[in-house]
Every structure is written in C-alpha cells, then in structure tokens.
C-alpha cells in the first residue's frame, strides 16, 4: 500500500497535471463561461463574454498601467509585524506567512514609479489576494512611501485600492492608518501635484473612509463595489432588500462620489490624458519654441514643458506645509 | 436604581439588602446601622475586586453601560453659555452628533461629540450615537468654525460607529468620514478629544484626529466591535470575548500603544456610579491637556498632530512586542 500511495499515485497525478494544465482555462466568476487563459491576460482579466472586470493583482496592475518591466519598484520601509500578537483561530503571524507565500508579496501594496505618456507617475496598487487587501501598518506605510516618492519626484500619485478595509488583526493600529494615509495624500496635494484614486473592486471600509475618497479625481472601474459599510451589515440593519446596483461604481457616480467610470480597456488612456492635462497645462506641440540661436537649447525657465505645479506650490509656500523636521520622524 | 451588568450580580444583591434594611429602619428594634455599614463596606470591596480585574470583554460592557456619561450631561456640566449649533448646510441635521460653542473654564471653545441618548425616546432621536454623513459634515463645519475664530476644539466620543444604511452610503458616508479626519488633521487650533465610552472605528476617528487623545479608564477604542470581529474571524459572534481580548481595545492598551495620551481614572465601580464626579475629572484632564496647546502657534499645532499620528505603530516607538 505504501509503495502505491507514496510513489505511484503522486507520479500519476503529476502526469495527469502535465497533460492538462489546470490554468489553461479560467471560469468567469460572473457569467461562468470558460475563457482561454492567454486571451484573459491579453484583456487584462476582463471577461470577453460579459465584460466582468476580474481583480488584478498588484504586480499585474502596475504592469498594466506602465507596461511590463517599464516601472521601478519603490522600496517600502520595515514595519513591526504582528504588533498585537493577535490570534484568532489562527495566529496572525501564520496568516501573514501564508499570504506572503501565496502572493509573493511582503504585504498588500506594491508601489511603482514610471511614466504615463512622458509624465512621471508614482502608483500604489493593492492586492486583494493578500488578506483581502486589508490595511494594516505595512499598507499605511506603503501609501505614505508612495506619497513621499511622488513629492520627491514631482510626480502624480495614483492609488488603486482593492480592499475589504482595515486589517482587524492589527487592531487599533489599523484604524490609525486612516489618519496616517490622509496625511500622506494631503502632502501630495499640498505639493501641488495631482492625486488620483482608481477605485477597483472592492473598495470598502476604512480604506474608502480615508485616502480613497480624497482624490482630486475619482476614477472607478466598471462594476466595482465601492462603499463604507458591508452590504450584509446594511441589509441586517435596515431589514430590507438593497437597491439594484447598490454600491457599484455606476451607482456611486450617480450619487456624486465618482467622477469617471471607465472600462479597464480605456483606463490607462484615461489616466494618461488626465495626468497630462493637469501636470502639463501647455500642450507639448506648442511648447517647442525655435531656439534663438541654432544649436543652443532654450533656457530652462522658458521651457513650457517643465512640470510646473510644484514650482508654483513652492512659490506660494504651500509646499512647505510639511515642515522640515518631518523627515526626521 | 442602577442597571447592573451580569458580572455585578453580587453587588446588586448586596445593594438590594442595604435598601431592604434602610426600608425597615425606624420601625424600632435592633440597631441596623452597623449592619448597613458592614454591607456597604462589602459593596466597596466587591466592586474593587471586580473592577480591578475587568477583562477586555467586561470593559466593553462597562463602556456600553446605559448610564455612562452622555454628551448632553458633559456639556451641561463643563460648558457655560453653551449654544448648540445644528445642520451640515447641505442635507440635514444629524442628532447623533452634537456640538456648538460655549465657555470651558472661562475660555470660548467649540465642542462636538457623539450622543447616544439617555432614555429610549432619546436614544431613537440620536440614532444610538451612530451618525450619518450629515453628522460628520456638521462636525467638519464645527471644526472649521473653531479654526476661523481661533478657538480650541473639544471632542467627546462615545459611538458604536458610523450608521450602516442605504441613505448613509448614498450620501457618501465614507467621504464624510474621510473629510472629517482630513479637516481635523489640518486645523491650526488646539484640538483635544476624549473617548468617553465606546470608540467605534471610523465613526470615532472622524472626531478624534486630535493633538491629545484622552480615554476614560473603562472606555474602549477599536477598529471593529468584538462581535463583528468574532463573526468574521471565528465565524460566530459568540466568540466576542476572545475577540475583545485579541483586539486589545482597552484604554490601558491604548496608552501603551500611544494611541491614547492619558487614561482618566473612573470612580470605583465605573463612571456610571458617579457620573458627575467622572465628568469633573474629565473636565480637569481636558483642561490639563489644553494648557500646553493654547500657547502653541497654529503651524506647530498642526505639525504636532501630524507627527503624533505618523509615529503610531512605528518600530522606533517601541512597538516590537511587549
């Protein structure tokens, strides 16, 4: 029996697996149709049959935004792990390790820097696969690191939340990430730089009630669930059926909380246009004056292509709002 | 008269004995003064024993005690010339959040806070202290008024959390909370918050992004209710007691984590046994917290608040386990 179960069975299983790779096809969780994996990747995980936008992992999200290998990873600071020594039916430390090996990430957010068009952008992408994209200290630090990188590089900041909310296992310290992330995105705004939020499925709880609702522009992916309280909690509280489309991107747009609802196919184009509009008020074509003396480049201050908002902010002092001793924290 | 918590049964029995004895007093016969005194001492000892050893879940019960000090009483006792203000100037008035202007120890201040209400009717009117977006937007209005007139801002928090409802979501509950946090963080005036009973998640931090955060001894502060946490992580609200322990939501833990700057001692047996005495201690602690802030300039106040929150949960702030 041992030879059969220990040796032959695994070998057989491996053979079967090699013949029919499980990940060749993927079933759409919305319409149930089988989709050829390669096609799904080409469509950035939007179902070709029903247009359902499946979740993108953090790396896939940054690859989609900037192009694969077209972005630089921003290092994230070390944070205390499991500060409360939290334990439910499982240790939080074990849950963290499991999430890390499942996703290959250290925590739920990746930060990358790259260009959209030729405008510098720093982007922070949540990975729902990492403990539901929940916000603990590491996530708060990642958002803060992204904001600092944006200010340092005079770049636009784009955050892609995908999160069930606060990470309960970090208790009150997860709640404290709400003010901490608000401080982070306000630093970007105070530096005169654009801060965009791309609300992806799902954006709920303490994430929505902090940095995710404070963007200069709120873009939402088609069909994304966006809200504060969970639908089950609301249904139990009011004891009524929830209205159709409740807490969907389109519903939030109708209720004034979202500027633009966009299909993932057009997302990068939309963002590229938006950052260009806000960061480069003078169009590029007009911005190439003939050099006065041939061969000599125009003086830098005459270059309308330079990124202006930061300079403007520095002139009126808004850029100094953070104070010099901040860096020593 | 008291409403007793289940772990206070021994106290309830002793006190009903005392009441019984008092009722028979004067009917002649034996002198019962000594007996009353003996029982009263026993009440004190029993209370001391219970309250010195409250586990986190019992603390949650005390923090939710119906006779906990309420905003109306706090304002009545601490604030003179109080003028309540109403409305968010956009949609409506939310009675779950109260606030206005008045004098605190002689100085003009802006006051705001959540109100759970004291009677059944009152509780309904105040929606049990669970605010809708209008409430957080009114709070923001009050904060901005404090800023405009350079008045200190006092905030009193006792809420299970923001109200989960369809209308609240449609009118931007998340945005209203986010803006309240943002506005609080940007103020250039002294801002002191006290968690009086329950500090429930986003609905609490919306009113508590302050320079100093105080907590009453048996108040709790948490990212989620123990019941909610238990039903998600243990798949049953029956594990609320374990969740309360795991969440470390007591005032004492908050002080250790530096989320609270100071814990204010409650009377023996909890704030509900001496509400006015508790409020007086709260008032004294608020004044103490305010004193160093009123001499700071606006930029420094804003800077201090930022630094305070940015330092939370960092390795250098001694977070790496006990």
């Amino acid at each position: 029996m041992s030879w059969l179960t220990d040796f032959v069975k695994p070998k057989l299983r491996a053979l079967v697996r090699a013949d029919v790779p499980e990940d060749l096809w993927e079933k759409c969780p919305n319409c149930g149709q089988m989709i050829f994996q390669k096609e799904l990747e080409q469509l950035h995980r939007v179902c070709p049959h029903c247009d359902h936008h499946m979740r993108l992992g953090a790396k896939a999200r940054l690859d989609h935004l900037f192009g694969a290998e077209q972005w630089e990873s921003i290092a994230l600071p070390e944070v205390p792990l499991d500060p409360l020594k939290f334990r439910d039916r499982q240790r939080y430390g074990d849950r963290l390790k499991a999430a890390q090996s499942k996703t290959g990430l250290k925590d739920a957010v990746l930060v990358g820097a790259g260009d959209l068009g030729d405008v510098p952008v720093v982007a922070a992408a949540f990975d729902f696969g990492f403990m539901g994209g929940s916000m603990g200290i590491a996530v708060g630090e990642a958002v803060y690191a992204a904001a600092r990188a944006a200010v340092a590089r005079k770049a636009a900041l784009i955050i892609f939340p995908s999160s069930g909310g606060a990470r309960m296992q970090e208790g009150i310290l997860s709640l404290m990430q709400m003010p901490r992330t608000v401080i982070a995105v306000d630093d970007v705004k105070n530096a005169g730089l654009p801060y965009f939020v791309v609300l992806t499925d799902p954006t709920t709880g303490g994430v929505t009630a902090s940095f995710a609702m404070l963007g200069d522009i709120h873009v939402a992916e088609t069909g994304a669930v966006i809200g504060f309280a969970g639908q089950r909690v609301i249904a139990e509280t009011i004891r009524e059926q929830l209205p159709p489309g409740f807490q969907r991107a389109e519903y939030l747009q109708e209720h004034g909380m979202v500027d633009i609802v966009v299909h993932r196919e057009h997302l990068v184009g939309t963002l590229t246009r938006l950052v260009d509009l806000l960061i480069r008020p003078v169009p590029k074509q007009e911005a190439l004056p003939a050099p006065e003396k041939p061969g000599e480049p125009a003086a830098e201050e005459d270059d309308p292509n330079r990124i202006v908002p930061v300079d403007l902010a520095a002139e009126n002092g808004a850029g100094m709002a953070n104070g010099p001793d901040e860096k020593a924290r | 008269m008291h409403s007793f918590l289940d772990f206070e049964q021994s106290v309830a029995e002793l006190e009903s004995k005392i009441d019984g004895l008092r009722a028979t007093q004067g009917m002649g016969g034996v002198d019962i003064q000594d007996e009353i005194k003996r029982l009263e001492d026993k009440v004190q000892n029993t209370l001391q024993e219970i309250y010195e050893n409250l586990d986190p879940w019992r603390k949650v019960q005390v923090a939710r005690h119906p006779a906990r000090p309420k905003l109306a009483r706090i304002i009545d006792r601490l604030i003179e010339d109080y003028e309540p203000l109403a409305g968010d100037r956009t949609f409506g008035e939310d009675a779950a959040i109260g606030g206005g202007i008045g004098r605190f120890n002689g100085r003009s201040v802006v006051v705001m806070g959540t109100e759970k209400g004291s009677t059944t009717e009152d509780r309904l009117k105040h929606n049990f202290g669970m605010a809708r977006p209008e409430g957080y937007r009114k709070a923001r209005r009050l904060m901005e008024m404090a800023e405009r007139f350079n008045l200190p801002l006092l905030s009193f928090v006792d809420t299970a959390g923001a109200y989960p409802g369809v209308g609240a979501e449609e009118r931007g509950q998340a945005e209203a909370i986010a803006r309240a946090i943002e506005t609080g963080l940007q103020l250039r005036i002294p801002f002191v918050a006290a968690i009086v009973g329950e500090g429930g998640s986003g609905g609490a931090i919306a009113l508590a992004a302050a320079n100093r955060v105080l907590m009453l001894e048996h108040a709790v502060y948490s990212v989620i209710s123990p019941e909610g946490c238990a039903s998600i992580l243990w798949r049953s609200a029956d594990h609320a007691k374990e969740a309360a322990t795991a969440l470390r939501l007591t005032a004492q833990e908050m002080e250790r984590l530096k989320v609270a700057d100071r814990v204010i001692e409650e009377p023996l047996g909890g704030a509900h046994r001496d509400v006015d005495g508790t409020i007086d201690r709260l008032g004294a602690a608020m004044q103490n917290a305010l004193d160093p802030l009123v001499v700071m300039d606006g930029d420094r106040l804003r800077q201090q608040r930022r630094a305070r929150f940015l330092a939370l949960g960092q390795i250098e702030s001694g977070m790496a386990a006990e």
Side-chain angles (χ1 to χ4, degrees):
Chain A
M1 175 162 144
S2 64
W3 177 78
L4 266 176
T5 49
D6 296 348
F7 185 74
V8 176
K9 227 175 156 185
K11 279 234 156 169
L12 276 172
R13 219 178 263 154
L15 268 175
V16 170
R17 251 190 223 142
D19 281 352
V20 188
E22 281 170 26
D23 53 358
L24 200 59
W25 295 84
E26 196 169 327
K27 194 174 172 181
C28 171
N30 187 51
C31 69
Q33 292 258 32
M34 297 303 283
I35 311 160
F36 192 45
Q37 188 61 249
K38 263 194 182 154
E39 185 187 8
L40 190 57
E41 295 314 316
Q42 273 167 7
L43 296 170
H44 301 285
R45 302 188 60 76
V46 175
C47 175
H49 308 288
C50 72
D51 245 6
H52 177 66
H53 286 47
M54 298 182 202
R55 285 165 193 155
L56 277 185
K59 187 180 171 295
R61 178 63 75 178
L62 295 177
D63 283 349
H64 178 219
L65 181 70
F66 294 123
E69 286 168 38
Q70 298 295 304
W71 52 278
E72 167 199 348
S73 180
I74 303 278
L76 302 177
E78 289 291 320
V79 297
L81 297 173
D82 193 8
L84 304 188
K85 303 278 161 260
F86 191 98
R87 179 173 197 161
D88 49 86
R89 294 173 307 158
Q90 227 184 80
R91 281 174 204 280
Y92 172 42
D94 293 342
R95 283 188 195 266
L96 268 180
K97 274 181 210 141
Q100 286 168 343
S101 60
K102 183 181 119 190
T103 59
L105 302 172
K106 261 187 108 174
D107 211 293
V109 172
L110 272 186
V111 180
D115 290 335
L116 282 192
D118 53 4
V119 174
V121 166
V122 172
F126 279 61
D127 200 304
F128 193 79
F130 195 106
M131 296 191 73
S134 57
M135 178 160 74
I137 299 170
V139 167
E141 279 303 294
V143 170
Y144 191 58
R148 269 182 304 179
V151 173
R153 291 160 188 251
K154 300 180 183 176
L157 176 65
I158 306 179
I159 304 185
F160 297 82
S162 176
S163 172
R167 189 171 298 168
M168 279 175 288
Q169 293 90 341
E170 293 188 18
I172 197 71
L173 294 170
S174 65
L175 188 73
M176 293 300 132
Q177 302 316 310
M178 293 171 68
R180 299 182 85 247
T181 54
V182 169
I183 290 170
V185 299
D186 276 353
D187 283 357
V188 174
K189 293 199 263 182
N190 287 334
L193 296 162
Y195 162 47
F196 297 164
V197 185
V198 180
L199 300 149
T200 74
D201 186 68
T203 302
T204 60
V207 166
T208 323
S210 56
F211 67 88
M213 276 290 138
L214 298 176
D216 290 306
I217 294 178
H218 293 172
V219 178
E221 277 196 338
T222 304
V225 167
I226 306 155
F228 178 62
Q231 300 198 353
R232 198 169 48 91
V233 176
I234 297 171
E236 280 168 13
T237 306
I238 61 166
R239 295 173 200 284
E240 279 171 39
Q241 279 225 314
L242 299 172
F246 183 63
Q247 289 186 331
R248 295 282 172 183
E250 298 74 10
Y251 193 89
L252 263 88
Q253 189 182 36
E254 269 173 43
H255 287 89
M257 288 298 144
V258 164
D259 295 287
I260 304 161
V261 178
V262 67
H263 191 287
R264 191 173 290 158
E265 189 187 346
H266 306 297
L267 177 63
V268 175
T270 303
L271 292 171
T272 306
R273 195 164 60 249
L274 289 173
V275 288
D276 193 64
L277 280 167
L278 290 185
I279 253 186
R280 199 192 311 281
V282 181
K284 203 175 178 189
Q285 288 82 338
E286 290 175 28
L288 290 171
E292 280 172 25
K293 292 175 194 167
E296 211 174 278
E300 205 193 295
E301 46 274 294
D302 291 331
D303 179 5
N305 261 332
R306 80 199 163 107
I307 294 160
V308 282
V310 171
D311 306 57
L312 289 175
E315 274 162 32
N316 64 25
M320 294 306 292
N322 310 329
D325 50 337
E326 271 302 299
K327 291 187 186 76
R329 80 183 184 90
Chain B
M1 280 300 107
H2 287 297
S3 95
F4 289 96
L5 301 167
D6 57 2
F7 54 84
E8 294 178 322
Q9 271 319 304
S10 51
V11 178
E13 281 160 24
L14 287 168
E15 292 199 330
S16 86
K17 266 191 208 165
I18 294 172
D19 290 346
L21 283 174
R22 288 228 169 93
T24 61
Q25 208 166 13
M27 289 166 87
V30 272
D31 183 12
I32 52 171
Q33 281 308 324
D34 286 352
E35 181 61 8
I36 290 178
K37 177 82 177 65
R38 197 185 64 80
L39 287 172
E40 280 176 344
D41 286 349
K42 207 168 169 193
V43 166
Q44 294 299 302
N45 291 336
T46 312
L47 279 175
Q48 185 150 8
E49 201 179 311
I50 294 172
Y51 274 79
E52 267 176 7
N53 300 300
L54 286 179
D55 64 33
W57 178 235
R58 287 185 171 181
K59 290 246 188 199
V60 172
Q61 317 296 309
V62 176
R64 293 175 180 168
H65 196 288
R68 199 86 189 151
K70 297 296 185 300
L71 180 69
R73 184 89 166 261
I74 293 169
I75 289 175
D76 195 41
R77 198 160 172 88
L78 296 183
I79 310 295
E80 287 169 50
D81 296 334
Y82 180 64
E83 198 56 49
L85 302 173
D88 70 345
R89 298 296 185 273
T90 303
F91 179 82
E93 156 67 358
D94 184 350
I97 290 184
I101 48 177
R103 285 189 189 277
F104 175 60
N105 295 331
R107 179 192 289 273
S108 286
V109 293
V110 172
V111 184
M112 65 180 186
T114 51
E115 176 62 271
K116 281 187 176 177
S118 300
T119 62
T120 305
E121 197 188 339
D122 206 26
R123 285 188 188 103
L124 284 169
K125 177 183 151 197
H126 295 289
N127 199 32
F128 303 89
M130 293 186 289
R132 297 179 166 90
E134 303 73 81
Y136 301 111
R137 293 191 177 120
K138 176 168 78 176
R140 218 180 132 207
R141 230 194 98 210
L142 291 166
M143 294 181 205
E144 281 164 356
M145 175 172 292
E147 173 95 350
R148 177 159 142 67
F149 294 100
N150 201 23
L151 303 177
L153 174 66
L154 305 183
S155 171
F156 301 95
V157 177
D158 183 13
T159 179
Y163 183 67
V166 173
E169 293 288 319
E170 289 176 345
R171 298 194 297 279
Q173 187 73 296
E175 194 264 358
I177 292 172
R179 292 281 173 208
I181 296 171
E182 181 182 49
T183 305
L185 289 167
Q186 287 176 348
L187 296 174
R188 290 163 196 275
I189 44 125
F191 178 9
V192 180
I195 314 290
V196 177
E198 277 185 283
S201 199
I205 187 68
L207 303 191
N211 293 95
R212 295 277 191 281
V213 179
L214 317 178
M215 279 183 81
L216 285 185
E217 185 183 354
H218 304 309
V220 295
Y221 199 179
S222 185
V223 66
I224 186 170
S225 72
E227 294 92 333
C229 178
S231 69
I232 297 170
L233 293 181
W234 280 265
R235 309 218 178 277
S236 157
D238 298 342
H239 292 268
K241 186 181 155 125
E242 290 145 273
T245 305
L247 285 166
R248 297 183 188 255
L249 41 61
T250 66
Q252 293 67 34
E253 289 280 1
M254 292 307 122
E255 194 178 32
R256 186 179 72 81
L257 296 169
K258 300 192 166 80
V259 169
D261 300 284
R262 185 182 159 189
V263 176
I264 304 161
E265 210 183 312
E266 291 186 25
L268 183 61
H272 53 279
R273 287 200 156 247
D274 180 6
V275 169
D276 286 346
T278 304
I279 293 173
D280 290 346
R281 287 183 202 188
L282 174 60
M286 291 294 252
Q287 186 60 57
N288 270 336
L290 214 47
D291 283 338
L293 299 178
V294 292
V295 295
M296 286 164 69
D297 73 41
D299 287 347
R300 183 83 197 90
L301 284 164
R302 185 171 176 274
Q303 179 57 36
Q304 186 273 338
R305 209 177 300 117
R306 271 178 61 94
R308 180 189 188 281
F309 282 95
L310 287 177
L312 290 178
Q314 296 301 289
I315 288 172
E316 58 267 34
S317 70
M319 278 304 313
E322 308 134 86

